Amino acid sequence: MRDLEQYVDYKEALRAIPPPLPPVSIRVDLNKEKGRMDPIWAWFGYDEPNYTYMKDGKKLLSELAALSPVPVYVRAHSLLVSGDGKPALKWGSTNVYTENAKGKPVYDWTIIDKIFDTYVERKMKPLAQIGFMPEALSSKPQPYRHDWQPGQPYDKIYTGWRYPPKDYEKWAELIYQWVKHSVKRYGKKEVESWYWELWNEPDSPYWGGTVDEYNKLYDYSVDAVRRALPTAKVGGPHVTGPQGKRGATFLKAFLDHCQKGKNYVTGKTGTPLDFVAFHAKGSPRLVDGHVRMNLGTQLRDISSGFQIVASYPEFSKLPIIIGESDPEGCAACGMKTNPENAYRNGTLYSSYTAAAFARKYELADLHQVNLKGAVSWSFEFEDQPWFYGFRDLATNGVDKPVLNVFRMYGMMRGKRVEVTGNMAYHTAAVRDSSVRRAAPDVNALAARDTASNTATVMVWNYHDDNVPAPVSPVDLIIKGLPTKQVLVTQYRIDDEHSNSYAVWQKMGSPQQPTAEQIKELEQAGQLAQYGYPVRTDVAANGEVKLSTVLPRQAVALFKLTW
């Protein structure tokens, strides 16, 4: 009987061993262009605007500006909220608008200037959010300031800042004065390059009014912006995921209003609309003790939003901005209160980001829409515990692995080209079912820049389930090279490269690291080369074959120059 039990245990153990994966083969054809390698990734955002001009905020913004070949766009909440300017989680304020004893407006641009000065000094561009409601203008102001903390009910954040104005004319005058002030301070040409947007997720409790009241606020806002700067770009509505009924219904109602509704200011039909914005989020959770991502949920939001915009002939070619495009929702919810958010510190976040952005390009191609940008709602949280599991790009001034994916994207320019692979998930399959088969998504995004004689290939080994897995040997064949020799440089994000979190863990996870340890962590947070650059001969048919071994949740970038 004991022998039988051991035999059964042995059979169960065999079943638990994952089957060997086939060798990975990826082919890149530099002669088959798919579209522009637009920097849709060069957009970032965050809840707490006052972090912008603080020590680590300035440092991170400088790094974001440095990694991008084009100006980076930045979106922040609470730019019109009343308060003393002291930041807190899910809170920020500028106190731009108050009223005197006679009810007359008092404008104070001091704090908002500090925010926008920080951007402009780094040649960054505001995705200027018109919101939220100043206390003196709110139709239901009390209570106003919240003191939410992670683990508390999220509804606690929804206070008096979320309501419509008690006076739309005063609201419009505030917006007019803000834009007018911006033009005076930064110049007409500079402000023309910004995007102005109204509110955030008005289909959710972020907006305390109705759909019609939002449309009314939009009409007053766009009219005010255009009176101050007729060439300004204004749009919205930044709804939550359009695969859901709530987000889709609101988005369609807004587009209907802009298309054929009666304008609340002019009385005419229609309202100006320069871009359309919506949000897209994934949905990770804990499964059998490990984190399981859900890339498909985020891609379905994107696909649904694209489909809705494409269904309006008047708006189908407008720029689309995915105003928040992330693996899940609450950036300020750490892994102590939300253990599924443990993915944010390590390489799962970076491999997810690599695989996700590649699919955003392909979904835009599929729906034939004009994707301008996808905002990663991730920044930094000042003076918080080290590696707390916030959705951020850096912790206490030290870059996390995910930031290095954006450094990789910053090196990819020119035109996107065709990629095929035997272990690649089709974009439609990821959208519909995520990455859940036994095999991972070992895939690539490639670009060729004829202006600089370079080609870049980003390769990732991604799976939704963050469990130990064998490494994947990868053969990369690149054809269409117009030269006899190339210099190949490989960059890598994995457990041993570009990974400050792994180094911090090896230190013993100190919450008060020494100055020497901080210096080591800062270095580990930079994008690292994998080995040394190698000069490689190109075959007579214009092909070169490269090989590497890619661990699970790792990302590699091959840069070829000639």
Side-chain angles (χ1 to χ4, degrees):
M1 184 65 181
R2 180 61 183 162
D3 290 342
L4 178 60
E5 289 175 352
Q6 289 178 335
Y7 175 70
V8 171
D9 289 343
Y10 174 69
K11 287 184 68 179
E12 290 299 321
L14 284 178
R15 289 193 188 99
I17 298 174
L21 299 173
V24 179
S25 176
I26 296 174
R27 298 184 66 88
V28 176
D29 191 337
L30 299 179
N31 291 323
K32 293 185 177 179
E33 294 181 354
K34 296 184 66 177
R36 297 190 309 270
M37 185 67 207
D38 290 332
I40 62 169
W41 49 268
W43 299 66
F44 300 91
Y46 43 100
D47 289 82
E48 301 85 0
N50 305 102
Y51 288 157
T52 302
Y53 48 80
M54 298 181 74
K55 175 176 62 71
D56 291 338
K58 283 186 171 182
K59 179 180 181 181
L60 180 53
L61 288 169
S62 295
E63 290 185 295
L64 293 177
L67 65 82
S68 175
V70 299
V72 170
Y73 279 86
V74 188
R75 176 176 188 253
H77 289 339
S78 302
L79 293 177
L80 301 179
V81 168
S82 303
D84 56 11
K86 293 180 181 178
L89 297 180
K90 303 291 294 184
W91 176 261
S93 60
T94 62
N95 221 43
V96 296
Y97 182 93
T98 54
E99 294 181 356
N100 63 21
K102 295 182 179 180
K104 298 294 184 181
V106 178
Y107 304 110
D108 184 348
W109 311 112
T110 305
I111 294 177
I112 210 165
D113 283 349
K114 288 175 67 176
I115 294 169
F116 280 29
D117 286 355
T118 305
Y119 299 153
V120 174
E121 286 166 2
R122 290 159 177 78
K123 294 182 169 54
M124 305 175 103
K125 306 289 185 183
L127 176 51
Q129 187 179 115
I130 302 172
F132 300 117
M133 195 58 60
E135 187 172 10
L137 276 179
S138 176
S139 55
K140 190 179 178 182
Q142 300 305 323
Y144 195 77
R145 172 69 189 260
H146 71 72
D147 58 358
W148 176 87
Q149 290 294 316
Q152 296 178 349
Y154 199 75
D155 286 352
K156 192 174 182 179
I157 73 168
Y158 300 126
T159 54
W161 53 261
R162 73 188 190 100
Y163 290 98
K166 60 186 180 184
D167 188 321
Y168 282 82
E169 296 291 345
K170 283 186 174 181
W171 166 266
E173 185 64 17
L174 165 61
I175 307 311
Y176 170 78
Q177 293 294 339
W178 181 20
V179 178
K180 182 180 176 181
H181 168 79
S182 299
V183 172
K184 182 179 179 181
R185 187 174 184 85
Y186 304 109
K188 177 174 178 284
K189 184 178 179 181
E190 171 63 29
V191 181
E192 283 178 330
S193 68
W194 302 358
Y195 289 89
W196 297 84
E197 60 176 31
L198 177 65
W199 224 257
N200 175 68
E201 298 183 348
D203 61 307
S204 80
Y206 265 90
W207 175 241
T210 64
V211 177
D212 288 340
E213 286 173 320
Y214 176 85
N215 290 337
K216 180 178 180 179
L217 194 70
Y218 180 80
D219 290 352
Y220 273 87
S221 300
V222 70
D223 182 77
V225 172
R226 290 285 184 86
R227 281 192 287 114
L229 181 62
T231 50
K233 294 174 286 192
V234 191
H238 281 285
V239 294
T240 58
Q243 70 170 310
K245 182 178 179 181
R246 187 183 74 185
T249 300
F250 198 108
L251 177 57
K252 291 175 184 177
F254 172 75
L255 294 176
D256 287 342
H257 174 75
C258 293
Q259 177 194 50
K260 58 188 177 184
K262 182 179 178 180
N263 189 293
Y264 282 93
V265 177
T266 67
K268 299 178 181 179
T269 299
T271 299
L273 181 65
D274 297 310
F275 66 92
V276 182
F278 58 82
H279 296 175
K281 305 283 187 177
S283 181
R285 59 192 181 96
L286 283 182
V287 178
D288 298 329
H290 71 268
V291 176
R292 170 178 286 175
M293 307 298 283
N294 198 332
L295 177 53
T297 296
Q298 185 181 356
L299 296 185
R300 287 192 294 276
D301 274 338
I302 295 170
S303 190
S304 297
F306 287 169
Q307 188 173 30
I308 290 170
V309 176
S311 70
Y312 287 79
E314 301 91 333
F315 305 139
S316 61
K317 300 306 177 185
L318 286 181
I320 294 174
I321 298 172
I322 309 173
E324 295 180 24
S325 191
D326 306 290
E328 35 60 47
C330 178
C333 299
M335 58 189 183
K336 183 177 180 180
T337 55
N338 298 75
E340 69 277 9
N341 289 343
Y343 82 87
R344 295 164 165 181
N345 288 328
T347 57
L348 179 54
Y349 193 4
S350 44
S351 62
Y352 179 105
T353 301
F357 270 93
R359 273 43 189 254
K360 295 170 195 178
Y361 286 108
E362 296 206 346
L363 287 174
D365 291 344
L366 174 66
H367 292 283
Q368 297 183 313
V369 295
N370 178 15
L371 177 58
K372 180 68 177 178
V375 178
S376 295
W377 200 254
S378 47
F379 186 54
E380 66 94 19
F381 293 86
E382 207 85 17
D383 299 322
Q384 296 291 331
W386 286 81
F387 294 101
Y388 188 73
F390 291 126
R391 194 175 66 240
D392 48 13
L393 303 173
T395 176
N396 290 281
V398 169
D399 300 340
K400 294 166 74 169
V402 66
L403 182 54
N404 287 306
V405 170
F406 295 105
R407 290 193 170 104
M408 288 181 171
Y409 272 116
M411 299 166 71
M412 302 185 72
R413 309 185 186 174
K415 297 292 183 67
R416 290 177 288 117
V417 297
E418 182 181 87
V419 175
T420 56
N422 66 327
M423 293 285 284
Y425 281 58
H426 191 278
T427 292
V430 182
R431 177 193 64 192
D432 298 340
S433 306
S434 205
V435 182
R436 297 291 171 80
R437 299 196 298 263
D441 176 45
V442 187
N443 204 346
L445 176 70
R448 176 180 179 174
D449 185 18
T450 54
S452 61
N453 290 331
T454 62
T456 45
V457 185
M458 182 189 291
V459 185
W460 57 86
N461 181 352
Y462 171 75
H463 200 283
D464 272 358
D465 286 300
N466 196 35
V467 295
V471 298
S472 292
V474 178
D475 287 332
L476 178 61
I477 300 171
I478 303 170
K479 63 182 295 186
L481 287 160
T483 183
K484 294 181 179 180
Q485 193 178 71
V486 291
L487 179 67
V488 181
T489 307
Q490 185 184 163
Y491 301 87
R492 177 68 70 87
I493 306 168
D494 59 24
D495 286 342
E496 303 295 330
H497 301 84
S498 317
N499 193 333
S500 59
Y501 181 56
V503 172
W504 181 73
Q505 288 180 307
K506 290 176 183 177
M507 290 177 175
S509 305
Q511 279 300 329
Q512 294 181 318
T514 65
E516 185 177 337
Q517 286 176 320
I518 291 174
K519 186 176 181 179
E520 182 181 355
L521 289 169
E522 287 178 328
Q523 180 61 38
Q526 299 301 302
L527 181 60
Q529 287 187 17
Y530 186 76
Y532 295 96
V534 178
R535 292 204 173 273
T536 305
D537 291 333
V538 177
N541 63 356
E543 285 190 2
V544 67
K545 181 178 179 179
L546 308 173
S547 297
T548 193
V549 175
L550 201 61
R552 184 66 57 87
Q553 314 301 12
V555 184
L557 179 79
F558 294 85
K559 182 177 182 180
L560 288 69
T561 58
W562 60 90

